[in-house]
Amino acid sequence: MINLKIQVSEQIQRLKPYIPGKPIAELKRELGLTDIIKLASNENPLGPSPLAIAAARDALAEVNLYPDGSAFLLKQALSQKLNVNSNQLTLASGSESLIQLIIQLLMRPQAENVYSEYGFAMYPIISLGCHATPVAAKSRDYAHHLPAYLDCINANTTVVFIANPNNPTGTWLTQQDYIDFLEALPNHILVVSDEAYFEYVTAKEYPDSIALQQRFPNLITLRTFSKAYGLAGLRMGYAVAHPEITDLLNRIKLPFNINTPAEMAAIAALQDTAHLQKVLDLNHAEMKFVVKSLAELGLSFIPSVTNFVTIDLQQAAMPIYQALLQQGIITRPLMAYNMPNHLRVTLGTHAQNQRFLQALQHTIAQIGA
Ligand SMILES: *Cc1c(COP(=O)(O)O)cnc(C)c1O
């Protein structure tokens, strides 16, 4: 073997890649199981709207053509729905791409990005990949604590990331939390409100981050079609921001950073409000069922407003995760988040949740607390 010594920065050397939920096909290959359920990546158990699938299929006939990189039609649909101007919208293949675009936009030597302990893992990973330094603010009871973010701000800070609700904890912050924080923060620092689970939240005090941009133009809202809209595999996310920020993001984005089937599916998904309502109704009913069942099993969990719940097993989660895999149930251990006793589980259909709960009970009894 030829000895290859390419030179990379200290940031890249520190980078540990993201560990996604185990794909169903991989577990099939490993264990030869057939009846597998995946409750590991906060995917939508009902799938996308049938109208979205049809729109994507129709668009496939034209994939010899490059997509409309400016996504005129989807921007038009979103601007009507959100009551914003098209010049406030940036689209990309998933909101993770927008996180990268924002970090890239602000990149300069010594740049620091602030996120939260127990916050979404992609913020530090993408920061390191862009040669910025991620700084973790202390959390409180597993939730983001914005006053602690302020302690991490210095002259090198370029952007702060708030996942609201947060993944992997399911916790959330209020409008007043945002206002107090944004008032205290110098407004050359951008604030990203990553709202991947926005559609699931019903709390009145949940922030209207798009409206808050009028008062705090350094605030950016990120949303995605991957979760409630069930289009994770097609990759489509969007940012709503001040036109000046949007202009800069659109200048640095790759010209064809989205694809036509995804754009057409997203437009159809936005129109199919009945399907979205079905998804949300199922989720709310199943959240009630799952947390009630967990309480009956004597298990504690972090209260969640999303489509997943994080269980505190009060013992190492890894053996339980492994035992569930043997039974064809994929969940998500949280070692990478420094939460070795927690297991994150996505809410599935009622039958899937029942199967998970039975297997969990059985497994805990076997392994012993
Ligand atoms: C799932 C998730 C995303 C991203 O999703 P995309 O599929 O890239 O749009 C972003 N932020 C958080 C907090 C998430 O949980």
Side-chain angles (χ1 to χ4, degrees), residues 65-362:
L65 303 176
Y66 279 102
D68 170 15
S70 70
F72 176 84
L73 294 174
L74 178 54
K75 280 188 188 168
Q76 198 175 42
L78 281 170
S79 60
Q80 273 169 19
K81 182 180 166 63
L82 304 170
N83 198 21
V84 299
N85 198 299
S86 282
N87 70 2
Q88 293 168 267
L89 293 168
T90 310
L91 303 183
S93 296
S95 42
E96 59 181 14
S97 300
L98 290 156
I99 296 167
Q100 183 177 39
L101 213 55
I102 292 164
I103 292 172
Q104 190 191 337
L105 178 69
L106 300 169
M107 195 46 226
R108 50 184 163 78
Q110 266 89 51
E112 291 184 12
N113 304 334
V114 179
Y115 69 111
S116 176
E117 183 185 29
Y118 313 124
F120 187 45
M122 287 310 298
Y123 309 138
I125 291 174
I126 299 174
S127 297
L128 292 169
C130 292
H131 305 96
T133 300
V135 179
K138 281 280 165 210
S139 69
R140 199 168 62 176
D141 298 330
Y142 292 109
H144 295 345
H145 184 50
L146 294 181
Y149 273 62
L150 290 173
D151 299 335
C152 300
I153 304 298
N154 62 39
N156 290 324
T157 310
T158 58
V159 54
V160 310
F161 288 97
I162 305 168
N164 191 26
N166 182 43
N167 173 14
T169 60
T171 53
W172 63 288
L173 296 173
T174 67
Q175 170 105 348
Q176 196 57 50
D177 292 331
Y178 270 39
I179 292 172
D180 292 345
F181 177 64
L182 288 158
E183 279 179 341
L185 189 79
N187 85 355
H188 66 272
I189 297 173
L190 295 190
V191 177
V192 174
S193 182
D194 180 352
E195 303 177 358
Y197 304 94
F198 167 82
E199 291 81 8
Y200 295 102
V201 185
T202 54
K204 276 206 178 56
E205 298 80 20
Y206 182 77
D208 184 344
S209 63
I210 295 175
L212 280 174
Q213 289 174 20
Q214 303 287 333
R215 192 168 151 202
F216 302 103
N218 54 327
L219 181 60
I220 303 177
T221 305
L222 295 189
R223 303 229 178 113
T224 180
F225 287 90
S226 294
K227 307 285 159 63
Y229 288 106
L231 293 171
L234 276 182
R235 318 300 302 124
M236 183 62 80
Y238 61 94
V240 186
H242 188 279
E244 244 173 75
I245 298 172
T246 304
D247 173 50
L248 293 165
L249 290 173
N250 279 291
R251 280 195 237 174
I252 62 165
K253 79 170 187 67
L254 296 174
F256 305 112
N257 69 331
I258 55 149
N259 66 79
T260 314
E263 182 188 4
M264 296 308 147
I267 293 169
L270 284 176
Q271 284 164 351
D272 194 348
T273 51
H275 183 77
L276 179 65
Q277 196 55 51
K278 204 165 95 181
V279 169
L280 301 182
D281 289 347
L282 174 75
N283 189 74
H284 291 141
E286 290 308 308
M287 181 60 89
K288 275 195 196 137
F289 167 66
V290 169
V291 300
K292 183 168 161 277
S293 306
L294 290 172
E296 283 165 7
L297 294 175
L299 291 169
S300 37
F301 52 86
I302 305 172
S304 166
V305 295
T306 63
N307 65 340
F308 60 85
V309 60
T310 294
I311 303 165
D312 182 359
L313 295 167
Q314 297 180 352
Q315 60 180 310
M318 211 55 194
I320 293 174
Y321 163 73
Q322 295 286 2
L324 289 170
L325 282 184
Q326 297 293 324
Q327 299 163 71
I329 301 172
I330 311 174
T331 58
R332 194 69 161 267
L334 299 174
M335 306 285 275
Y337 288 88
N338 230 351
M339 297 169 72
N341 290 353
H342 287 82
L343 192 69
R344 195 191 72 192
V345 61
T346 305
L347 303 179
T349 61
H350 189 65
Q352 290 175 338
N353 296 333
Q354 277 180 317
R355 180 171 155 196
F356 162 72
L357 287 161
Q358 271 165 19
L360 181 66
Q361 181 179 22
H362 170 82

